[in-house]
Amino acid sequence: MLFRSQGQATAKLEGIEEANGMYKIKLVVNGQEMESYISKDGKLLFPQVVDLTKKPQLQQTPETQATQANVAKSNKPEVELFVMSHCPYGTQIEKGMLPVVKELGNKIDFEVKFVNYAMHGKKELDEQLRQYCIQRDYNDKYTTYLGKFLETENPNEALNAVGLSEADISQCVGAADEKYKVTELFEDPQKSEWSGRFPPFKVYDTDNKKYGVRGSPTLVINGQTANSGRDAQSLLNAICGAFTSKPKECNTDRKSVV
């Protein structure tokens, strides 16, 4: 999303997440990244942020941060990708991740998980339950399903592409919905457990809290949050940096699905 001021400056919205009782927004203004906060009622904007708990330090680029990150190494990296199923930034990183997962195959343990609140309505809650069940019960079909869903945004077409129907996953969806109170909390008139305007999705709530996940996307490699671009090559580089001994696939040049 682009914004243009009365002058020449342009701003592009890169992301939004809940933080410190407000919404933190990431903007690119004339090529420069910046973070601002906005109150939950949308009435107050704080263009500049000073963290009083930290000592002043030189600004670091995402590339520098990624280089300095000490992600633990292992023979078979565990990769957890936290997204919202209809978040444009989440779907972008999923498109970048799919060819990487295909390339590395069983050399990594990969799982898509969902942020513990949803920003895109009931359709997002329904799709996340659907994907949770496909990944759990038909794991070998999940990445194919996800690729088709990202292409068409149509769950029926994606199910057809992997030879499944809603009936095949209905028992799992119903049980998960009841266990985690997804629909019940969405329909709660008091919105007692909502995050501001957003309903909860508690299927992966424990992991969200464990890693301090606040928004979509969040990448976790070997139990540590990792900085990476959302394109396939950046993701491949980030994951390959977590191998004790890099496999030959790490030398491959990859491109995103789209």
Side-chain angles (χ1 to χ4, degrees), residues 52-116:
L52 300 178
T53 68
K54 296 181 180 180
K55 294 180 179 180
Q57 56 183 345
L58 293 176
Q59 183 178 5
Q60 295 179 317
T61 65
E63 292 77 13
T64 302
Q65 293 172 342
T67 301
Q68 294 178 347
N70 295 315
V71 175
K73 297 183 184 297
S74 65
N75 293 327
K76 189 174 185 178
E78 181 180 3
V79 181
E80 300 163 85
L81 180 60
F82 291 82
V83 296
M84 298 175 190
S85 66
H86 287 72
C87 168
Y89 311 107
T91 56
Q92 183 183 30
I93 200 171
E94 287 178 318
K95 290 174 182 178
M97 183 65 79
L98 283 177
V100 176
V101 172
K102 182 178 180 180
E103 189 70 43
L104 293 174
N106 62 7
K107 290 181 171 63
I108 62 172
D109 284 324
F110 172 71
E111 186 174 2
V112 171
K113 298 183 176 182
F114 296 105
V115 177
N116 59 4

Side-chain angles (χ1 to χ4, degrees), residues 22-224:
M22 296 183 287
Y23 296 125
K24 181 169 71 173
I25 56 176
K26 297 180 181 180
L27 299 170
V28 176
V29 181
N30 284 349
Q32 298 295 317
E33 291 189 359
M34 63 176 292
E35 291 183 347
S36 300
Y37 282 80
I38 189 169
S39 61
K40 286 191 173 182
D41 61 8
K43 295 180 179 179
L44 298 175
L45 173 67
F46 306 89
Q48 294 182 323
V49 180
V50 178
D51 189 341
L52 300 178
T53 68
K54 296 181 180 180
K55 294 180 179 180
Q57 56 183 345
L58 293 176
Q59 183 178 5
Q60 295 179 317
T61 65
E63 292 77 13
T64 302
Q65 293 172 342
T67 301
Q68 294 178 347
N70 295 315
V71 175
K73 297 183 184 297
S74 65
N75 293 327
K76 189 174 185 178
E78 181 180 3
V79 181
E80 300 163 85
L81 180 60
F82 291 82
V83 296
M84 298 175 190
S85 66
H86 287 72
C87 168
Y89 311 107
T91 56
Q92 183 183 30
I93 200 171
E94 287 178 318
K95 290 174 182 178
M97 183 65 79
L98 283 177
V100 176
V101 172
K102 182 178 180 180
E103 189 70 43
L104 293 174
N106 62 7
K107 290 181 171 63
I108 62 172
D109 284 324
F110 172 71
E111 186 174 2
V112 171
K113 298 183 176 182
F114 296 105
V115 177
N116 59 4
Y117 63 97
M119 296 181 68
H120 305 87
K122 186 63 162 59
K123 67 178 182 179
E124 185 160 73
L125 299 174
D126 292 341
E127 179 58 29
Q128 291 177 178
L129 283 172
R130 188 180 294 114
Q131 289 193 28
Y132 163 75
C133 288
I134 296 171
Q135 189 169 216
R136 191 195 76 173
D137 294 344
Y138 302 95
N139 188 260
D140 59 325
K141 299 177 182 290
Y142 177 66
T143 55
T144 302
Y145 171 90
L146 180 59
K148 190 66 175 178
F149 176 76
L150 293 172
E151 175 189 342
T152 65
E153 298 184 3
N154 186 318
N156 291 325
E157 288 187 27
L159 285 168
N160 289 336
V162 295
L164 293 175
S165 68
E166 292 284 0
D168 294 318
I169 59 173
S170 60
Q171 185 174 354
C172 170
V173 168
D177 190 3
E178 182 177 359
K179 178 179 180 179
Y180 298 105
K181 302 180 178 180
V182 177
T183 300
E184 179 182 336
L185 290 171
F186 175 76
E187 295 177 347
D188 175 15
Q190 304 301 321
K191 296 180 171 54
S192 56
E193 296 188 41
W194 284 41
S195 297
R197 298 184 295 110
F198 306 125
F201 186 82
K202 294 191 173 185
V203 175
Y204 297 100
D205 189 53
T206 299
D207 289 336
N208 274 255
K209 292 174 179 176
K210 176 182 176 181
Y211 299 126
V213 173
R214 294 187 177 275
S216 169
T218 298
L219 177 65
V220 177
I221 303 176
N222 285 340
Q224 296 173 273

